[in-house]
Amino acid sequence: MSAEPLSQDGLAAPGPASAGPAGARPRRLAPVRAVPPPPTTPIVRPGRHAAPEDAADTPDRPTPSVPTPQPPSPQPRPEPARADETAEQHAARRVRQTWTEVEPHADELADWFAALLFSLAPDVRALFPARVTEPARRLLRSLVLPMSTVDRPGELRPMLEPLVREHRALGLRAEQYEVLGVALIGAMRRFGRSWDEPTEHAWVRAFSLAAGPMEQAVRAAAVPAVAEGTVVSHRRLSWDLAVLHVAPDAPVPHRAGQYLTVEIPQRPRMWRPLSPARAPRPDGLLEFHVRAVEGGWVSRAMVAHAAPGDRWRLGPPAGRLGLDLRSAREVLMVAGGTGGAPVLALCEDMARWARPRPCTVFVGGRVPEDLTVLDRLHELAEAHPWLAVAAVCEDDPLDERTQPGTLPDAVVRGGDWSRHDVLLSGSPAMIRATASALLVDGVALDRITYDPFTE
Ligand SMILES: Cc1cc2nc3c(=O)[nH]c(=O)nc-3n(C[C@H](O)[C@H](O)[C@H](O)COP(=O)(O)OP(=O)(O)OC[C@H]3O[C@@H](n4cnc5c(N)ncnc54)[C@H](O)[C@@H]3O)c2cc1C
């Protein structure tokens, strides 16, 4: 597990040089020659990289019109890799470079990608909601993220699992990866400022390397993509926080700390990861703590409009947050906001163990109301001496249950964690700040595990 800080665009920054995936040979992506060149008629709006007034992903935004595929373009010639880099490193570097260029135009790129995709594979249209920008942007990112990591197989493989599960939850089939690659590269051609033949060659190579394992994983997965469940309670804690209980038709097998990708009737086909806040129960009941993020499509609907009786679709469990059963080390868990959900689930799970490991939990939020798991954690700590709980709030320092300040400061002040296994849960910003503080404080990188709460 790595705590490598994420770059602003969400892609992992280049890491130490490593060989390409053992035995992985780039599969030739034949149909890439048929990528439609940039249409002469703009799909979404005039002007290359123009930022017109409809740039926001508003509910009224129409699905972009579909460009007509054009005759094949010439096969790109490979740019010689630097003397000190492998072909995989060269491809990943080019992908990262070009992605940085297009990131400011993510919405236009997503519209273009979707339009190409639907023109090449009309049946894929049915997998997307009416407004395609946001899910297309997520899909794009989930393809580019592993492409930017094909030079680091140790990081690539664990990354593929959650991405592939989300692709399956969306309803994508293994045979559709090829057309995804064609649409991706067609869209990048349109928006990559420095796009040229060697760049295209690098993208094709990176996609070929990343798509092969994704295809295989989709084919190999035996569990059904979704289960269904009914919302049995919805309690609004504040304007932006709610606790929901969902009773699945049959228990969804999962481990404490894992997340499920869910789809709600108010936002069809917009799947979001949510972490059950309690350890798995025999009756399968799931508890979710949801915060409505500003401008959030799904979280706002979950908090404001979800209601008992709603039928939710549930994707298979995923995620790497968990306790290494072979380790005997003490545990430090740090959770920001609704990141407390998987941490509570893990503590409840450990309470069932014959020999729980000493564990310190820090939960933090802006105000005490953000600490949705604090009462239950205190109950557990009262019953189990191996558990210690500390709560931190940025505002409202007068609350007697909390100490003022930020999570990273409080954690570093709170002890020497260099011999602990560390689990972090929350937003990427909280994880970055806490991981950096712990690294400076002497915690080894490979002892830190996290699932950032956004994509
Ligand atoms: C592994 C994992 C587990 C998660 N578990 C939970 C959970 O238990 N409870 C929960 O409430 N959420 C959880 N999330 C976050 C959740 O999946 C959604 O990303 C979040 O609810 C926003 O979705 P949205 O459709 O409302 O926002 P979108 O419409 O996708 O985004 C709207 C805006 O909000 C920003 N944004 C997206 N996510 C976040 C975020 N988490 N914090 C702040 N800004 C954000 C986007 O960048 C964008 O600007 C988890 C995420 C991951 C990756």
Side-chain angles (χ1 to χ4, degrees):
M1 173 60 232
S2 151
E4 177 182 2
L6 299 177
S7 69
Q8 200 172 15
D9 61 11
L11 297 186
S18 65
R25 294 176 48 212
R27 194 171 43 78
R28 173 64 63 201
L29 189 68
V32 83
R33 292 194 211 103
V35 170
T40 46
T41 314
I43 296 177
V44 183
R45 54 184 64 94
R48 189 178 171 89
H49 301 167
E53 54 285 3
D54 66 341
D57 189 4
T58 64
D60 297 331
R61 192 172 197 172
T63 301
S65 58
V66 174
T68 313
Q70 301 291 310
S73 59
Q75 181 72 14
R77 276 198 316 276
E79 182 203 42
R82 286 180 194 154
D84 61 343
E85 66 182 0
T86 63
E88 288 77 20
Q89 287 165 347
H90 172 70
R93 179 170 60 78
R94 279 284 180 126
V95 166
R96 289 193 291 263
Q97 270 173 3
T98 333
W99 187 250
T100 307
E101 289 171 18
V102 301
E103 239 257 321
H105 313 284
D107 283 359
E108 295 99 313
L109 178 74
D111 283 343
W112 198 275
F113 165 69
L116 284 173
L117 183 60
F118 301 158
S119 74
L120 296 164
D123 54 327
V124 177
R125 179 68 186 89
L127 306 179
F128 284 73
R131 293 149 209 146
V132 299
T133 307
E134 188 274 339
R137 201 175 58 215
R138 278 172 185 270
L139 178 57
L140 262 181
R141 189 183 174 283
S142 73
L143 295 171
V144 175
L145 187 63
M147 290 170 65
S148 71
T149 317
V150 290
D151 56 336
R152 285 170 280 160
E155 289 175 39
L156 178 63
R157 284 188 206 102
M159 169 189 295
L160 289 177
E161 185 200 348
L163 298 178
V164 164
R165 282 177 190 272
E166 282 178 31
H167 293 173
R168 294 183 66 246
L170 183 65
L172 286 170
R173 297 189 308 276
E175 57 273 21
Q176 287 166 329
Y177 279 96
E178 199 135 287
V179 81
L180 288 173
V182 175
L184 166 64
I185 288 165
M188 287 301 301
R189 240 190 216 164
R190 168 71 172 79
F191 286 89
R193 247 193 348 267
S194 64
W195 194 263
D196 57 8
E197 285 190 4
T199 306
E200 182 155 321
H201 183 88
W203 274 73
V204 170
R205 184 179 189 97
F207 185 80
S208 301
L209 285 166
M214 287 200 274
E215 272 183 39
Q216 282 165 14
V218 166
R219 283 190 209 284
V223 288
V226 288
E228 290 202 10
T230 305
V231 176
V232 292
S233 81
H234 176 279
R235 188 161 54 96
R236 205 159 169 176
L237 304 181
S238 65
W239 71 270
D240 65 346
L241 267 177
V243 172
L244 297 106
H245 289 97
V246 176
D249 296 347
V252 181
H254 67 285
R255 281 185 283 104
Q258 285 190 304
Y259 64 87
L260 306 175
T261 311
V262 310
E263 182 208 43
I264 64 172
Q266 291 83 1
R267 294 285 181 267
R269 302 200 186 98
M270 299 178 85
W271 292 82
R272 293 290 183 274
L274 284 187
S275 307
R278 312 301 288 263
R281 297 166 33 133
D283 64 2
L285 188 72
L286 299 164
E287 177 173 312
F288 295 113
H289 296 197
V290 181
R291 168 181 297 285
V293 304
E294 203 180 325
W297 282 75
V298 179
S299 58
R300 277 190 310 168
M302 283 175 176
V303 170
H305 305 302
D310 285 356
R311 294 284 290 167
W312 283 22
R313 290 210 287 162
L314 307 160
R320 51 197 166 191
L321 214 59
L323 290 166
D324 180 355
L325 298 178
R326 292 159 307 179
S327 167
R329 282 187 284 271
E330 296 190 16
V331 182
L332 167 68
M333 300 192 199
V334 186
T338 49
V343 160
L344 173 57
L346 284 163
C347 290
E348 283 193 345
D349 189 51
M350 207 159 39
R352 299 170 182 167
W353 294 10
R355 278 199 300 279
R357 287 155 58 186
C359 175
T360 305
V361 174
F362 281 82
V363 285
R366 202 174 46 76
V367 293
E369 292 69 41
D370 290 343
L371 308 179
T372 57
V373 295
L374 186 58
D375 290 343
R376 177 69 190 132
L377 280 173
H378 276 317
E379 278 173 29
L380 277 177
E382 274 168 30
H384 300 282
W386 50 265
L387 180 63
V389 178
V392 186
C393 279
E394 289 172 36
D395 300 346
D396 204 3
L398 298 180
D399 188 286
E400 61 188 18
R401 298 174 309 162
T402 66
Q403 50 178 298
T406 65
L407 266 176
D409 289 346
V411 170
V412 169
R413 263 199 324 265
D416 172 8
W417 312 110
S418 58
R419 295 177 191 282
H420 286 60
D421 286 333
V422 179
L423 270 61
L424 307 179
S425 173
S427 69
M430 169 259 155
I431 286 177
R432 265 196 300 267
T434 311
S436 304
L438 288 168
L439 288 172
V440 169
D441 214 42
V443 178
L445 185 65
D446 61 1
R447 297 262 176 90
I448 302 177
T449 304
Y450 57 80
D451 267 334
F453 256 34
T454 196
E455 301 177 88

